[in-house]
Structures are given as structure tokens and as C-alpha cells.
Amino acid sequence: MSSSAKLDPAFQGAGQRVGTEIWRIENFQPVPLPKSEYGKFYMGDCYIILQTTQGKGGAYLLDIHFWIGKDSSQDEAGTAAIKTVELDAVLGGRAVQHRELQGHESDKFLSYFKPCIMPLEGGVASGFKKPEEEEFETRLYICRGKRVVPFARSSLNHDDVFILDSQNKIYQFNGANSNIQERAKALEVIQFLKEKYHDGTCDVAIVDDGKLDTESDSGEFWVLFGGFAPIGKKVTCEDDIIPEATAAKLYSITDGQIKIVEGELSKSLLENNKCYLLDCGAEIFVWVGRVTQVEERKAAIQVAEEFVSSQNRPKATRITRLIQGYETHSFKSNFDTWPSGSTTPANEEGRGKVAALLKQQGVGVKGMTKSAPVNEEVPPLLEGGGKMEVWRINGSAKTPLPVQDIGKFYSGDCYIVLYTYHSGERKEDYFLCSWFGKDSIEEDQKMATRLANTMFNSLKGRPVQGRIFHGKESPQFVALFQPMVILKGGLSSGYKKFIAEKGLTDETYMADSVALIRISGTSVHNNTAVQVDAVATSLSSTECFLLQSGSSIFTWHGNQCTFEQQQLAAKVAEFLKPGVSLKHAKEGTESSSFWFALGGKQSYTGKRVSPEIVRDPHLFAFSFNKEKFQVTRHPYILSQVEEVYNFSQDDLLTEDILILDTHAEVFIWVGQSVDSKEKQNAFEIGQKYIEMAASLEGLSPNVPLYKVSEGNEPCFFTTYFSWDYAKAIAQGNSFQKKVALFFGIGHAVEVALNLTFSNWCIWNSVARAN
């Protein structure tokens, strides 16, 4: 697809560095925009925006947006769409393309220009006179969600938050029915205006809808409008219409015409030499096969534009173009089947992606000669020196493990682990996890969950609560046990009864039985010892093993194992049989008694396990302001999930539940102001998300799942943010917290005290106006 002959000179060097690049359409040609102008968009113009990010795997990820100003011409909008296809072609044809209409921009687009974009009157492309520098003009802005759009002064209403930017003072007017998140967002915009247009020196005031006009700030605010007057109802216009999602319909595109594709939606319907239109109501997708030509792709975009226009769809209807192999989650989620593993590894767009999986590096050694140190990134771990308590589930009770057995887990049992520690200057912290053996029975798993929840509540909801599955232990969990050993069988009465009823052989580890234990890992965060079948085929040249035969224990060192594994093997042997005398066996020098214990010599592998693909973390927001979350037509899709792009700590709003998916772990972050009933659903939400991501993105169904409450975030969660503990300890709702950071604690307290009285005044004001 890439062709230098088709490269517009303006696109020379595009996409070769991480960041944002913008072109404005001038005389139907793209012209690079100076960086000083980024974030300003003239309503009479159209723009092309390229966002290049680098994923954890190293590949560049590309998103192209073309922004259409409300006063731009149809020809200019068409030029922007065509040039977007050309830009994608010269970049290798792998970018996701988005159409952005002024006032209906996508969250992903807006995330490039935090806290807001600034649409301005005028433009250079449509005969508009370019605005010249002039005296300061008082402006009124309306904040809706994440958008900041200029409006006439007469547009004040009870439903929105407004910012009045005057020469000496910036006012925030909170409509009676506006939500806390909008008020908090407006403060971020005010900070931006203050620094950019007032050199950081102007005053800021907050005016609540319904406050008496005799108060100084409120009085000054209304004077600028010629005096106080009742506010009318909000007038709904065409731009306010939100398109509704509908059952997806697939159309093929041939010679500029569309034809419905019959049958259940499955990936197999999409042919790589064709283009398709997927109509989801609120969003239109154009899917482009790999071997289609540039002209076909341009025509497909035009067909999508005509389709939206012919059906009189709302202006907010999105159009997104995707290339085969780079499909987003929101596209794939509309299909009944989408085979796992069919996504191109370089594509990091969409849900469920993510994470900081660790490099697994081993250095070959001979005998006990010390190898070079393993060079790998160690993730943040919980501080040592804390108090460790472990219980094994037995019927309806939990049995505490003696200290000497802590770190010993049986695959047929379930456990509860509570680690109490101090992190820096903070209060006492808790790490509470349930561990489920792969052979454990469902009754024990449910009991472990129930008893862990009781412990969580008794500690007033402060612990980080985790759900850990056998074989998917997180670095933080593994690092708590030195060593951690997983043995066959189980000790619980439920497990014993289950295998007896099924007539199964009880393989539970015994101190004098024949047992083979595999030693894996390279560091404290991934060192594990797991009992495997005691046969020669279980061996691997890349690892160390312990072979227990009666009262004897052999240590076996594969030729490619590391010195760290050899050290761990000796530690595990001492843990299982204190004071035992080890018999050493290097690969190729084994004794006949070694092979006899394994049932005879057989061939085994010498290959290393391929590391998993490293993925980037993604954050998703849950909101319960509208309706309770529910599952849509696809059995795994949560209807109330929205991705938070280019996320930061500021996106953790106290009224929300958010999901952080690192691919290696999934966190459910629960804000303090979330309803108590919804807090109880946190793990259910996390499980629904994991099911969805497992179906569409290959996430492990047994990935570690954590519930993290606001104010109790552990280091292995905060590492994904530029964490500021001053923000974390601020009290109140999102707006009050922002006020505390903006004005100081005293003002925040005043705001909190005024809220109840203001609400009473507000409703009286609304009643009078209506």
C-alpha cells in the first residue's frame, strides 16, 4: 500500500515519532500546523490529526482523526476524508481512522488535548477572515462531559456547567442539575484558561445556580449579564440528539453500492479483497480488506458518509474505518464469533490489552558455578517485614496454617492469605487474597470467597482484595512466600470426599513418597516450585528439579538452568525436609537410582517457553448514573464500559468504578462515593469484564483480579499512574477534591457546607423559572 509517488509533501516524515501531528486543510491541501496552535480549532476549517503511540511491544500504534468544523464546506470535509486515506496508505495502511464532527468529538480524540479543545470563530479555508489579535473578549463556555464549546450568553440553563471568562476574573456557574464530574472537569478547564490567557494571575470564583445575587461573586457574575434574571429551560437542538445503538447490520460495498450480508455475524463473512460497512446505529464502521486498493478505500469512506446522510442519522453518529487485522474491540464485539488469536499482535488498540508482563531471562550454567546476574525489570512489590497469616478452607471453616507450613499450597485446596504491612508513612495496609487450587472443589471456592469477604468487611473495606488462581499467581503474591511450593492433592475434607466419590487416586503429597518438583523463575517475584508427574518426560533442560524418593532428595540441574534456580531448589528442599542431605545430579550425569525413581530414562524437552506478548495497560470507566450495568446481545459485553484514553490519576473519580487491565492483572478500582450496593458488585463486574476480554482479546480467564478501594491503593496499582498522594488523600466528592487542590482546604470545607443549603435554593429557583 505504501507508495512514495502518492505521498503528499505535507506528510513527509509523518508517523516516525511518538506524539501528535496536525495538518489544516487550506485550499484543499494539507498544511502542517505549528505546535503552538495545537488545541485550537477554527470552526470554518477541517483538520487531520495523527496520533502515534508506542506500545509495550515496541510497535508504533496509529490513529488518524479528521476534524470537521461546523462552518466548513462539504468539499473541505471531503478533502480531509480523502487525505486521511492517503496518509494511512503511506503509513502502511494500518491506522484506525475516525471522523470527528465539531461538538461530537470522541473521547479518544479529546484525550490528546487535555483538559479541552478550544473551537474558535473564523477560519482560513472557507473565505472566513482569520481572527486577528484584539482586546480581551469576555466569553462564555459550556462544559458537557469532556467538551468545551463556545455558546451565546443567553444559553445559561440548569443542566450544564458554564465558564464565564472575563478579563479580571473567571467564573464557574454550576447548573442545578449538573453532575459532580462535570463540575470537577470545569475546574480543570479554568486552570487551563487561567494559565494560558491570564498568565496565572486572575481570580476565580464559583457561582451555584440558585445562590442569592447579593453575594459578592454571584452579584459580579450577574452584573456581567446585565443583572439577575430567572433561567429558562434548556432548549434541545439537533446537536443534542444522541444516536441510539442498534443491532449490528453488515453490508458489503461494491462499486459504490451497499448490499446487506445475510446470516449471523462472524469473522468468516469478511473477505480480504472487499470493503464492508457495519451499521451499529450510534457508530458506523468501514472495514477494509488487506488487499483492497487506495481508490476502493476512498470510495468506501464516501459510501459511509452518504449512508449516514441518506438515513438522516444524528450528527453525533460516528464513522470509523478499520483495516483487516487491526480491528478494535468495539468493532469485534458486534460479532457472534471472533476466533481467539486472530488479532495482529502489533495492534494494541482496544479493550483488554495491556500490561507489564516480566522478561524471563535465564543464563546457562554448569554445576554450581555462579552465572551472570539476571537483568530484568522487577515490578513494584509489597514491603517486606509484615505479618503473614494463611488459612486453608475446610468445610465451612478456615484452618490456620502453622508458621512452618506457610508457603505450602495443595492443588486440591483453597486458601485465604492476609498480609499486614506498612507502606512508607501511610497507615497499616492489608493485602487479602483467596487462592484457588486448580483441582479444588466449587464448594471450597465459594466458601473461600465468602469468608474472605467477611474478613474484608471486618477490616472496614481497607484491604486490597484479590482472587488468585493456581498457575496465574501475580508477582506480589509470589514474592510474599519464600519459597512458594504447590503440591499435588488436597487436605480439605471436601476434596477428600470428592475424590473418594469419583473413585480417583489420591495423589496428595506425602513426605516419603516419590515426588518430582519443577523449579522455575529468575527472581523473588516469579520463583515457583510446582509438583509435576514423577516421570522423565516432565524434565526440561532449562530448569532445575527436585526428586524425592523415600527419604532421599536429588537436585537435578538442567544444562540451561540458572544459578538462581539452583539456589531456589536448595531452599525448597530445606523447606520440605529440614536438614535433609541432598544428592546432586547434573544433566547427563544421573545415577541409575535417579532414573529408577522416575520409572526409567526417557527423552524430554530442551526448549524454553516463549514469553507472552507484552501489552499496554488500559483503563475503563463504569458509571451507574443511568441504569445498572447489563449484558448486551453479545454474551460477554458490558454495556456500561467506556475506555479512558491517555489516562492519569485525575481520571479516578470518586463517584465511579474503573477497571485497570494490564493483561497480567486486572484491577477494579472503587471510588469512595460509589453506592454501597454497587461496591458489593465489584468482583462481579470484574468477572464480567474478564469473560469479555477472554472472548475478544485472549485475556486469561484465570488472570489475577484485585479490588482496590480509593485511598488504599497499593504500589503495584499506583505504578501505572504518575501518583500524587496529595490528590489521593483529599476528601469529598470529585468537585470538592478539585476545589481543595485549586483553592485550598478551607475553601473546600466551605463548599461542602454550602452544598446542602444550595440544593434547597436550587430547586426553589428551578420551580420559579419553570
Side-chain angles (χ1 to χ4, degrees):
M1 289 302 303
S2 180
S3 172
S4 57
K6 294 183 179 180
L7 174 62
D8 192 299
F11 295 144
Q12 188 70 42
Q16 296 182 13
R17 62 183 183 276
V18 172
T20 307
E21 298 172 75
I22 303 179
W23 297 263
R24 177 164 56 190
I25 302 300
E26 299 181 11
N27 295 321
F28 304 105
Q29 293 298 323
V31 176
L33 197 68
K35 287 191 178 295
S36 59
E37 295 295 303
Y38 282 18
K40 294 180 181 178
F41 292 88
Y42 289 98
M43 301 181 192
D45 291 330
C46 295
Y47 298 77
I48 296 174
I49 299 89
L50 169 64
Q51 184 71 17
T52 306
T53 56
Q54 187 169 20
K56 287 278 186 181
Y60 276 0
L61 316 174
L62 305 171
D63 283 275
I64 307 176
H65 306 254
F66 59 100
W67 186 89
I68 302 173
K70 70 180 184 67
D71 296 326
S72 64
S73 71
Q74 187 173 348
D75 288 343
E76 288 163 346
T79 299
I82 290 172
K83 290 295 180 181
T84 294
V85 175
E86 291 180 7
L87 173 59
D88 177 42
V90 300
L91 291 172
R94 55 195 175 93
V96 178
Q97 298 174 29
H98 316 261
R99 183 186 70 157
E100 308 285 353
L101 294 183
Q102 181 187 336
H104 301 288
E105 297 86 356
S106 66
D107 289 344
K108 186 164 195 172
F109 175 81
L110 293 170
S111 74
Y112 310 147
F113 308 101
K114 290 185 176 181
C116 62
I117 63 171
M118 303 297 294
L120 302 171
E121 296 284 350
V124 297
S126 304
F128 282 80
K129 182 180 180 181
K130 186 174 181 178
E132 299 177 355
E133 292 295 329
E134 55 185 20
E135 292 185 7
F136 187 92
E137 178 185 352
T138 298
R139 287 194 173 112
L140 180 70
Y141 301 94
I142 180 172
C143 301
R144 291 179 181 168
K146 297 182 179 180
R147 295 169 178 79
V148 180
V149 187
F151 267 68
R153 297 184 186 184
S154 58
S155 296
L156 288 178
N157 61 61
H158 298 293
D159 299 313
D160 297 309
V161 177
F162 295 82
I163 295 173
L164 182 63
D165 186 13
S166 66
Q167 187 162 10
N168 299 317
K169 202 168 191 175
I170 304 176
Y171 300 86
Q172 175 173 329
F173 178 82
N174 297 325
N177 304 326
S178 62
N179 63 46
I180 295 299
Q181 293 93 327
E182 289 174 336
R183 298 182 187 190
K185 178 68 181 179
L187 273 178
E188 294 179 27
V189 177
I190 287 176
Q191 183 68 46
F192 170 77
L193 294 173
K194 179 178 178 180
E195 294 174 357
K196 189 170 183 68
Y197 298 109
H198 298 270
D199 299 321
T201 58
C202 71
D203 292 329
V204 174
I206 296 175
V207 178
D208 286 323
D209 187 1
K211 268 195 173 182
L212 303 178
D213 61 359
T214 54
E215 298 180 25
S216 58
D217 291 337
S218 182
E220 293 172 2
F221 175 82
W222 289 112
V223 164
L224 293 169
F225 287 93
F228 176 81
I231 300 174
K233 288 184 178 181
K234 179 179 178 179
V235 178
T236 302
C237 63
E238 182 184 357
D239 287 349
D240 295 321
I241 299 175
I242 300 175
E244 294 183 2
T246 60
K249 296 180 181 178
L250 185 67
Y251 300 85
S252 62
I253 303 176
T254 306
D255 298 328
Q257 303 296 317
I258 65 172
K259 181 181 179 181
I260 188 75
V261 178
E262 302 291 347
E264 291 187 357
L265 292 183
S266 68
K267 182 176 181 292
S268 61
L269 295 175
L270 305 174
E271 301 179 30
N272 65 1
N273 62 343
K274 293 183 179 180
C275 296
Y276 295 84
L277 184 150
L278 183 69
D279 178 15
C280 303
E283 187 167 14
I284 303 294
F285 293 96
V286 175
W287 185 91
V288 175
R290 284 184 188 277
V291 299
T292 54
Q293 300 301 310
V294 172
E295 293 307 315
E296 291 179 75
R297 301 181 181 193
K298 290 180 182 178
I301 286 291
Q302 184 62 36
V303 168
E305 296 274 1
E306 293 172 355
F307 181 82
V308 171
S309 176
S310 66
Q311 298 212 354
N312 295 318
R313 296 288 177 88
K315 289 184 177 180
T317 303
R318 298 241 165 81
I319 297 179
T320 303
R321 199 216 70 162
L322 308 153
I323 189 72
Q324 181 183 2
Y326 294 86
E327 297 87 355
T328 62
H329 156 76
S330 54
F331 176 82
K332 291 189 292 185
S333 66
N334 292 285
F335 288 75
D336 295 300
T337 58
W338 195 277
S340 177
S342 59
T343 302
T344 302
N347 176 27
E348 292 294 336
E349 158 66 27
R351 294 174 199 277
K353 301 215 177 241
V354 229
L357 289 176
L358 311 165
K359 298 177 182 176
Q360 302 283 332
Q361 295 185 6
V363 181
V365 295
K366 294 182 179 180
M368 291 298 289
T369 305
K370 188 170 182 178
S371 66
V374 176
N375 179 25
E376 67 174 318
E377 180 184 354
V378 177
L381 303 174
L382 298 177
E383 293 189 12
K387 178 184 178 182
M388 172 65 74
E389 299 171 272
V390 181
W391 297 265
R392 184 178 63 249
I393 301 303
N394 194 25
S396 60
K398 61 184 192 294
T399 303
L401 294 190
V403 174
Q404 65 269 23
D405 284 342
I406 290 179
K408 191 184 297 182
F409 295 83
Y410 286 86
S411 65
D413 291 336
C414 295
Y415 297 81
I416 296 175
V417 175
L418 177 63
Y419 182 63
T420 305
Y421 65 103
H422 290 273
S423 55
E425 299 299 321
R426 291 176 56 183
K427 61 184 181 305
E428 206 166 42
D429 286 317
Y430 304 94
F431 182 71
L432 174 65
C433 285
S434 302
W435 184 89
F436 304 127
K438 67 180 179 63
D439 301 318
S440 62
I441 62 174
E442 185 178 357
E443 289 80 359
D444 283 353
Q445 294 178 11
K446 289 181 177 179
M447 184 56 63
T449 301
R450 188 177 304 123
L451 295 176
N453 287 337
T454 299
M455 294 175 67
F456 177 82
N457 293 331
S458 70
L459 293 169
K460 299 180 180 179
R462 287 172 54 194
V464 173
Q465 188 177 3
R467 184 205 67 182
I468 308 292
F469 282 100
H470 179 171
K472 281 293 183 179
E473 292 80 11
S474 65
Q476 298 76 30
F477 188 84
V478 172
L480 293 177
F481 305 97
Q482 293 304 308
M484 177 180 178
V485 184
I486 302 177
L487 302 170
K488 286 190 173 186
L491 303 177
S492 77
S493 57
Y495 174 78
K496 296 292 187 183
K497 180 180 178 182
F498 172 78
I499 61 171
E501 291 177 347
K502 294 293 183 181
L504 302 173
T505 301
D506 188 353
E507 295 185 288
T508 302
Y509 171 83
M510 302 295 289
D512 293 324
S513 61
V514 175
L516 183 64
I517 297 172
R518 183 181 66 234
I519 309 297
S520 304
T522 55
S523 185
V524 64
H525 65 279
N526 59 17
N527 282 338
T528 57
V530 180
Q531 185 179 356
V532 295
D533 292 339
V535 292
T537 53
S538 296
L539 298 174
S540 169
S541 299
T542 65
E543 293 168 321
C544 287
F545 289 80
L546 289 176
L547 174 60
Q548 175 182 292
S549 178
S551 59
S552 301
I553 292 189
F554 296 87
T555 63
W556 185 86
H557 301 154
N559 288 334
Q560 300 176 53
C561 76
T562 67
F563 178 66
E564 290 78 12
Q565 290 170 344
Q566 296 173 24
Q567 287 182 311
L568 180 60
K571 194 172 185 179
V572 170
E574 180 65 23
F575 177 55
L576 293 176
K577 280 199 167 187
V580 69
S581 179
L582 295 177
K583 297 180 180 182
H584 298 288
K586 293 189 297 182
E587 183 177 2
T589 65
E590 303 86 355
S591 64
S592 58
S593 59
F594 176 87
W595 292 120
F596 179 78
L598 290 177
K601 187 176 181 179
Q602 299 182 65
S603 60
Y604 49 84
T605 184
K607 295 181 179 179
R608 290 192 177 277
V609 177
S610 300
E612 295 186 58
I613 298 172
V614 178
R615 301 176 187 262
D616 298 309
H618 287 236
L619 184 70
F620 307 98
F622 260 90
S623 176
F624 296 97
N625 292 337
K626 298 178 182 178
E627 60 183 54
K628 299 294 184 289
F629 87 90
Q630 55 182 281
V631 181
T632 59
R633 64 182 293 274
H634 191 287
Y636 297 113
I637 305 305
L638 298 173
S639 61
Q640 292 297 95
V641 175
E642 291 185 357
E643 181 159 6
V644 181
Y645 299 97
N646 298 319
F647 62 83
S648 68
Q649 184 182 354
D650 289 334
D651 293 309
L652 301 176
L653 299 180
T654 187
E655 296 81 18
D656 289 339
I657 291 178
L658 296 103
I659 297 173
L660 176 66
D661 178 0
T662 73
H663 200 75
E665 297 166 307
V666 173
F667 299 87
I668 307 297
W669 183 89
V670 182
Q672 290 180 349
S673 300
V674 171
D675 182 82
S676 59
K677 291 183 180 179
E678 305 301 350
K679 288 181 179 180
Q680 295 174 6
N681 290 331
F683 270 113
E684 181 182 354
I685 292 168
Q687 183 58 42
K688 292 289 185 184
Y689 170 79
I690 289 172
E691 290 172 358
M692 174 272 295
S695 171
L696 297 177
E697 300 295 346
L699 185 69
S700 169
N702 293 334
V703 66
L705 174 64
Y706 294 107
K707 178 170 68 175
V708 177
S709 58
E710 182 181 6
N712 299 292
E713 295 87 352
C715 60
F716 57 96
F717 175 84
T718 60
T719 188
Y720 294 99
F721 303 81
S722 296
W723 200 258
D724 182 348
Y725 279 99
K727 293 180 180 179
I729 63 175
Q731 298 297 308
N733 60 40
S734 298
F735 178 55
Q736 292 165 2
K737 289 182 179 182
K738 284 288 195 308
V739 169
L741 294 170
F742 197 96
F743 295 101
I745 298 297
H747 194 105
V749 172
E750 180 183 347
V751 168
L753 291 173
N754 284 338
L755 282 179
T756 303
F757 176 73
S758 294
N759 287 340
W760 182 85
C761 295
I762 286 166
W763 291 115
N764 276 280
S765 173
V766 172
R768 289 195 302 270
N770 296 337

